[in-house]
Amino acid sequence: MTTFLTLLGIALYLALMFYIAWRAYRTNKHDDPEDWFLMGRGANTLMLVGTMFATWFSTFAFLGGPGFFYKIGVNWLLFGFFNAMGPVLVMILGPRIWALGKTFGFITPGDLLAAYYNSSRRIRILTGIICIAVLFPYSAIQITGIAVALNSISGGLIAFNAGVLLIAVCVGIYSFVGGSRAVVWTDVVQGFIFALLLVATMVLVINWSGGWTEGWLAATNARPELFAFDGGAGNYITLMTLWTFGWVLTPHLWQRLYMADSPRTLVKGAAITSVLALFVVTFTGAVIGMMSLGMDITIPEGSSTDALVPEIFAQYLPAMGVVLVIAVFAAGMSTLDSQMISATSSFTQDLVPSVSSADNHQRMRLGRFFEIAFVLALVAFAFSPQG
């Protein structure tokens, strides 16, 4: 019965994603790069918040975040600083990048940088190559991470190789068919799904640990050393600097700054995303991870603390397995799809013009072939020992 429900849940979830992609396909202008890669610069506040939130917070928010709090304790509260400060940086730099993109028709980071350096072809090519080179391992982490998590949560029902293929086919199809419009629309749905489950998990953990007061008391008694800061400022400064600028400098998030329908929408969206990052990811992750210290939770031997949330539900509410599988899909795919469409845009806009004067139709056709090749390369890498 559990196997049937898991497969049914996956089937219904994928059917919803494909329906959204089909609706996006009917709306898209297929030979217009601005429409295909930036949804015509028409993202409203809901869309922008959904895609920024879901794109930045992958399976790490659902598995890694609570796991790190369980392992490191209060020292991982630095997670909240760069989660909040990233969107704040967007408020400062975002309107400027948006204005340049709107005025000059920029689509990729390479567009802006090449124009700044006197329309430098070398800068454009170098930036495009760097963006694709960065996005490939980042995407590979998503696809292998989701597959490993699905294999664990499903109790081996979804084998690793099957999970890799399932994710690649699903994301590949709706990105290939629906472009950025499908990516943004699915991000809104996926972000809502895993945010809702994170909040629900926090409420359940508070209840299972004996309540707010008793739960914290049990946790501090069980592992008092994890509730004291180690005083090391170096890690805080390093991680805050890298992760804060990551909100703007990673290619797929940079392109979110071009997508907004106005600078006001961009600033408002970044502010809401900052609040969501603090509450939905940092606060809930801290409560889940640290209150679990006082509960009777045992991480299986050989597993990392990423297994914390699945293990909590396995011990306290096994029936939630189906929802967990869908949440892992949603959390990881909402990042992977953005990375794939961003890599394709860098190839189409930054690399193709350097070897050909092809028109938009031809360039977009080449971009489709690149996207297929990118997905196949991800699958091949995931199946390799290095992957």
Side-chain angles (χ1 to χ4, degrees):
M1 184 65 178
T2 302
T3 300
F4 171 77
L5 289 176
T6 301
L7 295 176
L8 177 62
I10 292 173
L12 291 174
Y13 173 75
L14 295 184
L16 174 61
M17 296 300 103
F18 292 146
Y19 172 73
I20 293 173
W22 176 74
R23 290 294 300 270
Y25 175 82
R26 290 169 58 90
T27 306
N28 287 338
K29 301 173 183 177
H30 298 276
D31 291 334
D32 181 352
E34 188 172 278
D35 188 81
W36 188 262
F37 296 123
L38 302 177
M39 60 175 302
R41 305 184 196 273
N44 59 30
T45 302
L46 174 63
M47 293 175 186
L48 197 65
V49 170
T51 192
M52 285 200 296
F53 178 76
T55 296
W56 181 244
F57 298 108
S58 59
T59 48
F60 179 81
F62 187 68
L63 301 177
F68 264 94
F69 278 113
Y70 182 81
K71 181 180 180 178
I72 300 174
V74 295
N75 284 293
W76 191 237
L77 285 173
L78 66 91
F79 186 50
F81 290 108
F82 51 67
N83 275 347
M85 290 307 297
V88 170
L89 188 63
V90 170
M91 294 181 220
I92 298 170
L93 298 179
R96 293 165 170 80
I97 294 175
W98 179 91
L100 290 169
K102 181 74 171 179
T103 302
F104 299 104
F106 297 154
I107 292 175
T108 65
D111 283 333
L112 188 151
L113 294 174
Y116 183 81
Y117 289 101
N118 301 316
S119 300
S120 170
R121 180 69 71 192
R122 291 180 180 179
I123 292 293
R124 176 181 290 281
I125 293 173
L126 180 61
T127 305
I129 291 173
I130 288 174
C131 287
I132 294 170
V134 167
L135 288 167
F136 182 82
Y138 201 166
S139 300
I141 288 170
Q142 299 303 319
I143 201 169
T144 55
I146 301 169
V148 168
L150 289 176
N151 178 257
S152 173
I153 293 171
S154 67
L157 172 64
I158 304 174
F160 173 79
N161 288 356
V164 167
L165 289 173
L166 182 63
I167 298 154
V169 169
C170 178
V171 178
I173 287 176
Y174 75 70
S175 298
F176 185 88
V177 170
S180 63
R181 190 165 275 105
V183 169
V184 170
W185 289 354
T186 55
D187 279 355
V188 173
V189 175
Q190 291 165 339
F192 176 78
I193 289 173
F194 82 79
L196 181 64
L197 188 61
L198 267 174
V199 174
T201 301
M202 178 188 69
V203 173
L204 289 171
V205 166
I206 292 171
N207 180 60
W208 290 332
S209 65
W212 184 258
T213 303
E214 291 300 320
W216 284 117
L217 183 62
T220 53
N221 288 337
R223 297 292 302 276
E225 71 278 8
L226 295 184
F227 290 84
F229 288 99
D230 61 15
N235 285 339
Y236 284 78
I237 295 171
T238 301
L239 287 173
M240 281 181 65
T241 302
L242 290 173
W243 285 52
T244 296
F245 280 96
W247 266 94
V248 178
L249 297 179
T250 47
H252 52 302
L253 283 161
W254 181 314
Q255 289 185 296
R256 266 60 195 157
L257 308 184
Y258 293 145
M259 281 185 178
D261 58 16
S262 70
R264 178 183 176 86
T265 294
L266 183 58
V267 171
K268 186 164 57 173
I272 295 171
T273 304
S274 183
V275 173
L276 288 175
L278 273 175
F279 176 72
V280 175
V281 180
T282 305
F283 180 72
T284 61
V287 172
I288 294 167
M290 291 195 286
M291 290 191 81
S292 297
L293 293 167
M295 298 167 60
D296 186 21
I297 301 294
T298 303
I299 303 296
E301 187 176 350
S303 298
S304 71
T305 53
D306 286 0
L308 175 65
V309 173
E311 195 60 33
I312 290 173
F313 281 106
Q315 293 187 34
Y316 286 88
L317 190 59
M320 281 288 288
V322 178
V323 180
L324 278 176
V325 169
I326 294 173
V328 168
F329 257 105
M333 286 168 56
S334 60
T335 300
L336 178 60
D337 56 12
S338 299
Q339 293 164 342
M340 286 172 51
I341 202 81
S342 184
T344 303
S345 70
S346 290
F347 172 81
T348 304
Q349 298 299 115
D350 300 330
L351 302 188
V352 172
S354 67
V355 296
S356 170
S357 57
D359 62 19
N360 281 344
H361 177 71
Q362 291 173 313
R363 286 195 297 119
M364 293 301 290
R365 283 192 63 192
L366 287 172
R368 302 291 182 82
F369 287 120
F370 171 84
E371 189 167 353
I372 294 171
F374 191 81
V375 172
L376 292 176
L378 284 176
V379 172
F381 181 74
F383 286 169
S384 71
Q386 291 80 10

